[in-house]
Amino acid sequence: ALSSPHTLTIWEAQFGDFANTAQVIFDQFLSSAEGKWNVMNGLVVLLPHGYEGQGPEHSSARVERFLTLAAENNMQIANCTTPANFFHLLRRQVKRTFRKPLIVFTPKSLLRHPRALSPVDAFTKQRFQEIIDDKTANPEKVRSLVICTGKLYYDLLAEKEKLKNETTALIRIEQLYPFPKEQLTELIHQKYTLATDYAWAQEEPANMGAWDFIQ
């Protein structure tokens, strides 16, 4: 990634917890390459993450660790829910005129999830979306906003449909850092003006995952 900055260099871990072994590299180089070493690096790291019954090392890629390391736009941290958004995330990584490390949490279950699909025009006509809105929600009926990231969205969606809940909108944060504060604020204040209840939903325990960072 350092010697050939115009190529897309990806390190894909078989288990999310492989980050434990590479912790020194994340701390000493990836998170601080510009500040300490005066070099840009565009390495993409894919770490399996998601509570889906495949064992502890698939379940936790230590989201909280990476968010703790994130500051001053030193890296990008994402958890995509659609194939097209993942594609545009990787495309953006190469097309940009600068380089930043990219950490992607990749739930295994979404590889075969029947609803994790994208139409062709989503690849050809769209761009990367830091936030994905609830297209089925009627703003006039929505009173609660549930904000989440990753494969948990599909679990929440199934429950919402099961309950025939029309008062809740599910908003997906596809890019955790840099946090899309402006997009989220605009969505809340311009579209969901009648919502009075806001919640962050995650699979992880309270002291893990993105909760502390989001709060």
Side-chain angles (χ1 to χ4, degrees):
L2 191 59
S3 62
S4 185
H6 297 293
T7 61
L8 181 63
T9 304
I10 299 176
W11 177 61
E12 182 177 13
Q14 185 178 1
F15 300 103
D17 268 3
F18 275 16
N20 289 336
T21 308
Q23 192 66 41
V24 173
I25 302 300
F26 290 121
D27 289 348
Q28 294 292 102
F29 182 74
L30 275 187
S31 65
S32 55
E34 287 187 66
K36 290 174 68 175
W37 312 110
N38 200 31
V39 295
M40 285 187 173
N41 194 290
L43 179 67
V44 178
V45 181
L46 305 183
L47 297 173
H49 178 83
Y51 285 66
E52 47 202 13
Q54 297 199 48
E57 295 196 336
H58 279 291
S59 301
S60 182
R62 304 298 179 185
V63 178
E64 66 282 354
R65 288 187 188 175
F66 292 98
L67 292 174
T68 300
L69 289 172
E72 299 181 358
N73 296 322
N74 62 333
M75 64 170 66
Q76 308 154 100
I77 302 173
N79 192 354
C80 298
T81 57
T82 71
N85 220 30
F86 183 47
F87 165 76
H88 287 295
L89 179 68
L90 296 180
R91 182 179 185 274
R92 183 183 73 171
Q93 187 72 359
V94 177
K95 296 291 287 183
R96 277 178 165 171
T97 57
F98 58 89
R99 296 289 174 259
K100 296 281 183 179
L102 171 61
I103 311 298
V104 186
F105 302 113
T106 55
K108 291 284 188 177
S109 64
L110 293 195
L111 292 172
R112 296 179 179 85
H113 199 290
R115 303 190 71 168
L117 303 172
S118 298
V120 173
D121 62 357
F123 291 89
T124 59
K125 298 179 181 179
Q126 295 182 8
R127 56 178 289 278
F128 177 68
Q129 301 176 75
E130 288 88 357
I131 288 179
I132 298 181
D133 187 19
D134 191 336
K135 302 299 183 184
T136 64
N138 182 348
E140 296 181 359
K141 295 182 179 180
V142 170
R143 298 296 181 269
S144 300
L145 297 180
V146 175
I147 305 168
C148 64
T149 187
K151 54 83 76 172
L152 178 65
Y153 162 74
Y154 292 100
D155 299 331
L156 296 174
L157 178 62
E159 189 67 14
K160 177 185 171 183
E161 292 175 343
K162 177 182 175 183
L163 298 173
K164 295 186 168 98
N165 185 329
E166 296 184 339
T167 62
T168 300
L170 303 177
I171 300 175
R172 287 171 270 178
I173 305 295
E174 301 280 293
Q175 178 177 283
L176 289 163
Y177 189 84
F179 188 74
K181 181 179 179 180
E182 291 183 9
Q183 295 95 315
L184 183 61
T185 302
E186 181 180 337
L187 191 63
I188 292 174
H189 293 307
Q190 292 190 15
K191 182 177 180 180
Y192 298 111
T193 56
L194 299 179
T196 56
D197 184 39
Y198 310 95
W200 169 258
Q202 69 177 35
E203 300 177 291
E204 303 88 352
N207 66 336
M208 297 171 68
W211 164 236
D212 283 340
F213 173 79
I214 296 294
Q215 187 183 35

